[in-house]
Amino acid sequence: MTNRLFKILTVVMIVVTSGCASYSISEQQMTDYVSNNLSANQSIDVEGLVKAEIGLNDVEIRIGRADADRISVFANTNALVEVMNGTELDLDLAMEFSAIPYYEKETGEVFIKSVRLEQFDDKSNTLPSALTPLLKPAVSVVGDVLSQYPVYQLDNSKFEQALLKSAQPNLVIKNNKLVIEL
């Protein structure tokens, strides 16, 4: 009963103090959060055909631009790839993933799910076209790794965010922002 009363009082305080019970997360805020908090370096082995060491650099997030309910994650990647015949390639890849964001109410974190590899390009122009079909599954694994870590977290030290977190709000995309609202 006390917990429920606290939540009701929290909602009332949010509405009174902010005039609107929501918090918007911009593309830049998400990009900064991911850049500062996520290290997605992966070792990948695709059935003995291709081995790759992949590390993400220069991550950029776009919200609701390509698809109204998805975010896009752009990343540049350095990959050291070894093909089954022993050939090693040092690749500079540009990747784009899209995903559906969701809010984990217990922790106040935003995660992504249903991650799709939309495209990847070899900026170094050293990837033989015959290897592209083998490398795509390896690159897709990076998207799976991205879905295991939060792409944003409400800050408990900031009053408005702490109150929203305790009220267990919902997540929506509006005007190229993630909006956490009651």
Side-chain angles (χ1 to χ4, degrees):
M1 181 70 172
T2 305
N3 192 21
R4 183 177 168 96
L5 180 61
F6 176 74
K7 287 183 179 181
I8 292 170
L9 287 174
T10 299
V11 171
V12 170
M13 287 180 65
I14 290 171
V15 172
V16 169
T17 59
S18 69
C20 177
S22 68
Y23 176 73
S24 296
I25 304 165
S26 71
E27 293 172 335
Q28 188 61 52
Q29 286 173 298
M30 283 188 72
T31 296
D32 291 346
Y33 184 89
V34 170
S35 295
N36 293 330
N37 294 289
L38 179 67
S39 174
N41 296 321
Q42 288 294 303
S43 295
I44 300 162
D45 188 349
V46 180
E47 300 176 17
L49 299 173
V50 175
K51 291 181 182 178
E53 296 287 329
I54 299 176
L56 291 181
N57 305 312
D58 304 322
V59 175
E60 181 183 348
I61 307 281
R62 294 189 187 150
I63 303 170
R65 292 182 185 269
D67 197 347
D69 67 340
R70 298 181 75 84
I71 66 169
S72 298
V73 180
F74 297 87
N76 291 318
T77 303
N78 293 334
L80 182 59
V81 178
E82 182 182 335
V83 188
M84 65 182 171
N85 67 3
T87 303
E88 285 192 359
L89 302 169
D90 191 8
L91 303 175
D92 184 13
L93 302 174
M95 301 183 298
E96 177 188 355
F97 297 93
S98 72
I100 297 173
Y102 71 94
Y103 181 70
E104 181 60 49
K105 295 175 182 181
E106 298 300 317
T107 60
E109 296 171 316
V110 176
F111 287 88
I112 56 176
K113 62 182 178 181
S114 302
V115 179
R116 293 189 309 227
L117 175 63
E118 299 293 345
Q119 75 178 73
F120 82 100
D121 297 314
D122 174 24
K123 297 188 323 184
S124 59
N125 293 318
T126 57
L127 180 64
S129 59
L131 295 181
T132 300
L134 296 176
L135 192 58
K136 274 191 175 183
V139 172
S140 293
V141 170
V142 174
D144 295 338
V145 170
L146 287 172
S147 69
Q148 297 173 19
Y149 298 96
V151 292
Y152 195 82
Q153 182 173 20
L154 290 178
D155 185 347
N156 285 329
S157 68
K158 295 187 178 170
F159 181 71
E160 178 186 16
Q161 293 179 45
L163 288 176
L164 272 170
K165 179 182 171 187
S166 68
Q168 297 192 355
N170 294 311
L171 179 73
V172 295
I173 294 178
K174 292 181 180 176
N175 301 321
N176 304 115
K177 292 183 180 184
L178 286 182
V179 180
I180 300 173
E181 64 182 10
L182 294 177

